[in-house]
Amino acid sequence: MIPIKLEDLARITEGRVLRGDLSQLILSISTDSRTLQPGDLYVSLRGERFDGHDFIWEAVSRGAMGFLTSRSYAELSSGQKGVPGDESAAQSNISSTRSQKGDLAIIQVRDCLAALQALAREVRNRSSYRTIGLTGSTGKTSTKDFLKSILAKRFKVWATPKSYNNEVGLPLTILGADSQDEILIAELGMRGEGQIAQLCEILRPDMGIVTRIGPVHLETLGSEDRIARAEGELVEAIPETGLVVLNRDDRWFPSMADKARGRVVSYGMDSEAEVRATDIKLDAEARPSFQLVSGDRRTLVKLQVMGEHNVANALAAAALADELGVSMEEIKGGGWGGRGPGSGGGRGAGC
């Protein structure tokens, strides 16, 4: 991540430095004491089944340079928010357990999740990379993997690792990028109306892809129309100078396109799609091949994953890559298996 001074972190998160050198740099963040690396700042998140405050001293023993907490010294010692303990016990823990990078940093904030999001928002504002938001009922991860593999041939790319696509995962995705990255691809999950809009407020996407809309989360939203409205929040978040890549075969395409302020590029099997597939064939192992057509240009693409449904995911990735200047030959040779260099979440280095 972009280095942040401890004093700046306190200002960004509206927190209070309880301990630490104000000029100390925060270089990396962790919310999981099990995978924390020496030098990480540990953020004590509270979930439905756990409270990260219970693992603070484990994180410190693993080499955390400090931690973000919503508790006071006394509460840290008692192990319960709102229940004071022996403050000297907490001080003793701090004194006896130092990070590998000098004095332990402790920042007290009102809410650790809000602080994590505020930090991600600030880091995004300081970054020069272009951001791509990606949502839809199905096909998000495959499309992300295809897109990252193609763009990594030309750019330094950081993409959503694992399934980091919610209110915790998106900030961690942003904080995982570094100053050398040129493009950030963020998968955006949706469980209800307003959620993608909130994620976009943090991400500020320059470009967006909507894969396909289907009856997912009906138990929460009640109708496919409401699902489409919720997924469409990404489209509405793209600025006039931005780009929206939409599935022409999806029945929600017209309403999605109407929401767009940015330029719309369509993909699909429909003859009106600007980037489309023709001559689709499946080999003996159900892996598709097809002619990728964009204007008067075409090339043969062979996917290394099974299922004709992946053709649409590949088209979405190709459409956006084409708009970023990636050549048809580079697209043809893209990581269509989703497992090659540059595939999956994390980083892909350009040439």
Side-chain angles (χ1 to χ4, degrees):
M1 64 178 270
I2 295 174
I4 299 285
K5 286 183 180 180
L6 184 61
E7 64 177 336
D8 290 336
L9 176 65
R11 173 184 54 79
I12 293 163
T13 61
E14 298 182 353
R16 185 164 67 99
V17 177
L18 300 181
R19 187 183 183 95
D21 179 353
L22 294 179
S23 65
Q24 194 171 6
L25 290 176
I26 313 297
L27 301 175
S28 52
I29 297 286
S30 175
T31 60
D32 190 336
S33 62
R34 298 166 299 179
T35 57
L36 179 141
Q37 298 297 307
D40 288 351
L41 177 77
Y42 178 65
V43 180
S44 314
L45 295 180
R46 181 179 293 113
E48 292 180 2
R49 297 183 298 275
F50 67 89
D51 187 340
H53 288 84
D54 297 337
F55 307 101
I56 283 175
W57 303 117
E58 178 185 342
V60 172
S61 70
R62 288 178 177 268
M65 57 79 65
F67 57 88
L68 210 63
T69 176
S70 60
R71 294 182 180 175
S72 66
Y73 271 140
E75 289 169 333
L76 287 170
S77 132
S78 74
Q80 298 181 61
K81 186 172 180 60
V83 178
D86 181 0
E87 187 164 331
S88 64
Q91 292 280 10
S92 176
N93 262 330
I94 293 165
S95 298
S96 62
T97 318
R98 303 288 181 135
S99 100
Q100 295 181 7
K101 291 192 175 183
D103 199 15
L104 192 68
I106 305 177
I107 306 95
Q108 183 184 25
V109 296
R110 179 170 298 181
D111 181 280
C112 288
L113 176 58
L116 179 69
Q117 293 172 344
L119 177 59
R121 191 178 294 109
E122 177 69 15
V123 168
R124 166 65 183 102
N125 290 341
R126 294 188 186 189
S127 301
S128 59
Y129 51 65
R130 287 177 283 183
T131 54
I132 301 169
L134 201 158
T135 194
S137 299
T138 57
K140 294 187 294 293
T141 299
S142 294
T143 302
K144 175 199 71 180
D145 291 347
F146 288 151
L147 180 61
K148 180 170 173 286
S149 296
I150 299 170
L151 295 184
K153 295 178 175 296
R154 183 72 68 91
F155 306 99
K156 290 184 178 178
V157 183
W158 176 252
T160 298
K162 303 179 184 178
S163 56
Y164 285 9
N165 63 8
N166 62 9
E167 65 274 12
V168 175
L170 175 64
L172 292 176
T173 296
I174 292 172
L175 296 173
D178 64 35
S179 60
Q180 301 303 310
D181 289 318
E182 298 170 287
I183 291 178
L184 183 146
I185 306 170
E187 206 176 309
L188 304 177
M190 184 277 295
R191 297 190 302 274
E193 289 182 275
Q195 185 175 35
I196 287 179
Q198 291 172 355
L199 296 177
C200 286
E201 190 272 328
I202 299 171
L203 178 65
R204 292 197 300 108
D206 300 303
M207 296 163 275
I209 296 175
V210 180
T211 55
R212 61 177 67 85
I213 306 301
V216 179
H217 302 303
L218 277 174
E219 70 285 356
T220 302
L221 292 170
S223 70
E224 198 168 314
D225 178 69
R226 290 184 66 189
I227 292 169
R229 288 206 305 267
E231 301 285 12
E233 291 167 8
L234 170 60
V235 176
E236 294 171 321
I238 305 298
E240 293 179 1
T241 55
L243 174 72
V244 182
V245 177
L246 298 177
N247 188 339
R248 184 88 191 199
D249 300 328
D250 195 292
R251 72 185 184 97
W252 298 102
F253 171 80
S255 61
M256 287 281 182
D258 285 344
K259 294 176 187 284
R261 292 181 294 155
R263 185 165 59 88
V264 173
V265 171
S266 63
Y267 69 91
M269 269 56 83
D270 190 291
S271 61
E272 297 297 314
E274 292 160 271
V275 177
R276 64 188 186 278
T278 63
D279 304 322
I280 300 172
K281 299 175 182 177
L282 298 179
D283 67 13
E285 296 181 20
R287 295 176 301 189
S289 63
F290 60 92
Q291 287 289 327
L292 172 66
V293 181
S294 178
D296 60 358
R297 298 168 299 145
R298 64 173 55 223
T299 191
L300 177 65
V301 170
K302 296 181 179 181
L303 304 186
Q304 299 304 307
V305 294
M306 293 186 296
E308 189 170 339
H309 64 279
N310 274 307
V311 173
N313 301 331
L315 287 174
L320 197 145
D322 187 37
E323 290 293 323
L324 288 176
V326 180
S327 70
M328 292 293 269
E329 280 303 306
E330 289 173 311
I331 292 173
K332 176 181 180 179
W336 295 115
R339 299 183 186 276
S343 69
R347 179 157 287 106
C351 299

